[in-house]
Amino acid sequence: MPDGANTENTGNAEQEPGTPAEQVDQEIASTEVLNWWRSLFGFGGQPQPHESGGGGVGGQYMFASLEELDTVIAKWEDERDGILEDRQQIYDAYHVIRDPAADAMSRYQADASRDSIANMFQHNSAMLRYAENYIEKLKASREQMAIMEDGNRDRLRSVRDVEA
């Protein structure tokens, strides 16, 4: 039996989706692999849309607490920061490419390298937009969750005060 195989799941039982943080980590990893594969084989155009969901109803992520949501937001902010660091390296790499010689093949190779790095920059831009939009949505969800928790806390206090 290979490492990591589930020896207890011999039927058609579904595996639990994991915590929201684990789901986000899995989504990030699978997206990076898919995007790498697409670029490796020259599939350009629009990035593959995410078809991710979570463990909640309707495929939505469910967060048990604000702290858990804060952890997920921090991970996405780290991913965004990494994308920004990569962006600067890509930019620098593009601008240091020089023709190694004056012949046509040397110019062709330098142009091909610049084209490849330009495509990498476009991909980086798409990843950055995705990460920034997702962080924005997570923060909006956090704000909404905080408002709901405050309302629930106030209702519990009013019930407790009435009972006392």
Side-chain angles (χ1 to χ4, degrees):
M1 177 104 10
D3 285 345
N6 186 349
T7 58
E8 295 176 17
N9 189 3
T10 56
N12 289 333
E14 289 188 29
Q15 186 176 3
E16 291 294 320
T19 67
E22 291 169 340
Q23 293 175 39
V24 168
D25 288 343
Q26 182 178 353
E27 178 63 23
I28 291 169
S30 64
T31 300
E32 287 179 5
V33 169
L34 177 62
N35 290 332
W36 171 78
W37 183 86
R38 289 175 56 83
S39 67
L40 182 66
F41 291 101
F43 293 107
Q46 294 297 320
Q48 181 71 22
H50 285 277
E51 296 181 13
S52 64
V57 175
Q60 306 221 348
Y61 290 115
M62 302 283 292
F63 297 99
S65 67
L66 288 172
E67 293 78 23
E68 185 178 29
L69 185 50
D70 288 340
T71 299
V72 172
I73 291 170
K75 284 187 177 190
W76 273 93
E77 288 174 335
D78 288 345
E79 284 296 320
R80 181 208 47 215
D81 294 346
I83 292 168
L84 286 169
E85 289 172 17
D86 293 344
R87 183 180 193 80
Q88 186 60 49
Q89 291 177 355
I90 294 166
Y91 180 84
D92 292 344
Y94 181 88
H95 290 287
V96 298
I97 295 174
R98 300 287 179 257
D99 298 352
D103 62 287
M105 286 307 293
S106 293
R107 282 191 303 275
Y108 172 76
Q109 288 300 318
D111 288 344
S113 295
R114 280 189 286 273
D115 290 345
S116 178
I117 292 176
N119 287 334
M120 187 185 306
F121 191 83
Q122 288 178 343
H123 175 74
N124 178 275
S125 296
M127 289 182 359
L128 181 61
R129 279 191 306 275
Y130 181 86
E132 287 175 338
N133 289 335
Y134 199 69
I135 291 167
E136 185 178 312
K137 289 177 185 178
L138 287 171
K139 286 183 176 182
S141 293
R142 190 206 184 283
E143 185 176 318
Q144 202 172 27
M145 188 174 174
I147 290 169
M148 287 176 47
E149 282 191 6
D150 288 344
N152 290 339
R153 191 176 310 114
D154 290 344
R155 278 192 291 279
L156 285 174
R157 284 184 186 143
S158 67
V159 168
R160 186 180 59 205
D161 292 342
V162 169
E163 290 177 354

